[in-house]
């Protein structure tokens, strides 16, 4: 099974009949170090998630900012992978990206064919998600910002977070608990709905001039 350019996954069967019965969408889960990406993928995945976590090393301590997440002992070095069925015939493939700068060479590969992305944010370290926001904005990949509400973090409203991140108008901001399956599902549903609207608008924009000249 391979991923198409529009973020869907096909089975490669004759005439694409299986594609009509089952649609799989590729979603990225991004954000800073220790924000909860692995936790979110694990919480919502209906299969045992594939993880590529390694113990933090003394060498890594020199380049990884663990302020605010001092109890974190592992880090993702390639990706996390999970799958969730939203409804009959619609599944999501989740790819959690590594958060540290030195692993960013993987992002371009993971982003190929993605329908959209979830940018997890921690209000205690909000600046850590700036690079992910910039990445998806510059590549015109639809994304939602999901604020992972840690127990010891000050609560901010969605509008406050949107202003602090200087998000483009219309980019959704949702509050969530990355540990909770239902909360994570709601984030993914919001993303699929938003990405669907964005891609539809772009398609109409692209065919509009052609239709007018016909």
């Amino acid at each position: 099974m391979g991923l198409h350019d529009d973020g869907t996954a096909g089975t490669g069967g004759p005439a694409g009949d299986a594609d009509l019965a089952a649609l799989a969408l590729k979603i990225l889960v991004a954000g800073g170090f220790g924000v909860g990406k692995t936790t979110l993928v694990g919480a919502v995945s209906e299969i045992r998630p594939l993880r590529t976590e390694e113990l933090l090393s003394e060498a890594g301590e020199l380049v990884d900012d663990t302020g605010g997440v001092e109890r974190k002992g592992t880090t993702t070095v390639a990706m996390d992978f999970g799958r969730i069925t939203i409804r009959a015939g619609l599944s999501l493939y989740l790819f959690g990206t590594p958060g540290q700068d030195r692993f960013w060479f993987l992002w371009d590969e993971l982003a190929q064919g993605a329908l959209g992305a979830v940018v997890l944010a921690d209000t205690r370290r909000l600046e850590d998600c700036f690079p992910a926001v910039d990445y998806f904005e510059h590549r015109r990949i639809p994304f939602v910002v999901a604020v992972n509400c840690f127990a010891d973090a000050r609560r901010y409203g969605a509008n406050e977070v949107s202003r602090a991140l200087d998000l483009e108008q219309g980019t959704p901001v949702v509050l969530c608990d990355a540990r909770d399956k239902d909360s994570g599902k709601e984030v993914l549903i919001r993303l699929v709905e938003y990405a669907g609207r964005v891609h539809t608008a772009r398609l109409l924009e692209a065919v509009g001039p052609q239709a007018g000249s016909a």
Side-chain angles (χ1 to χ4, degrees):
M1 178 169 59
L3 287 167
H4 302 317
D5 290 339
D6 59 359
T8 62
T11 60
D17 291 340
D19 289 346
L20 298 177
L23 178 66
L25 306 175
K26 181 180 181 182
I27 301 296
L28 300 186
V29 180
F33 175 65
V35 76
K37 300 181 295 295
T38 298
T39 300
L40 177 64
V41 173
V44 300
S45 179
E46 62 194 23
I47 62 173
R48 183 176 181 180
L50 169 66
R51 293 173 174 169
T52 57
E53 288 195 313
E54 295 291 343
L55 293 174
L56 289 172
S57 64
E58 292 183 2
E61 291 178 356
L62 300 177
V63 292
D64 294 331
D65 179 12
T66 58
V69 287
E70 290 82 1
R71 290 180 295 178
K72 183 173 175 60
T74 60
T75 183
T76 298
V77 296
M79 68 174 185
D80 300 312
F81 174 77
R83 186 188 71 204
I84 178 175
T85 300
I86 296 296
R87 57 172 172 76
L90 176 60
S91 298
L92 302 182
Y93 290 159
L94 307 176
F95 293 82
T97 66
Q100 299 96 315
D101 293 358
R102 66 183 185 278
F103 295 125
W104 275 22
F105 65 92
L106 295 169
W107 280 45
D108 287 337
E109 290 294 329
L110 292 175
Q112 288 292 326
L115 175 77
V118 173
V119 176
L120 269 178
D122 179 353
T123 57
R124 300 168 303 178
R125 296 156 52 102
L126 196 59
E127 66 279 2
D128 288 1
C129 71
F130 286 172
V133 168
D134 289 342
Y135 181 91
F136 296 122
E137 283 185 345
H138 290 160
R139 287 159 180 79
R140 304 186 71 219
I141 298 175
F143 68 94
V144 301
V145 173
V147 179
N148 193 7
C149 298
F150 291 91
D152 58 346
R154 180 180 173 183
R155 298 299 176 95
Y156 294 91
N159 290 335
E160 293 176 287
V161 174
S162 180
R163 289 194 298 269
L165 293 176
D166 193 24
L167 297 177
E168 294 180 353
Q169 186 175 4
T171 302
V173 176
V174 295
L175 308 182
C176 75
D177 182 344
R179 303 166 300 178
D180 183 76
K181 182 176 183 178
D182 290 336
S183 181
K185 275 181 149 182
E186 184 61 30
V187 170
L188 296 173
I189 290 171
R190 287 285 301 275
L191 171 62
V192 171
E193 292 174 345
Y194 174 64
R197 293 195 300 269
V198 170
H199 286 298
T200 298
R202 289 175 181 172
L203 179 61
L204 292 175
E205 183 181 344
V207 302
Q210 299 177 15
S213 62

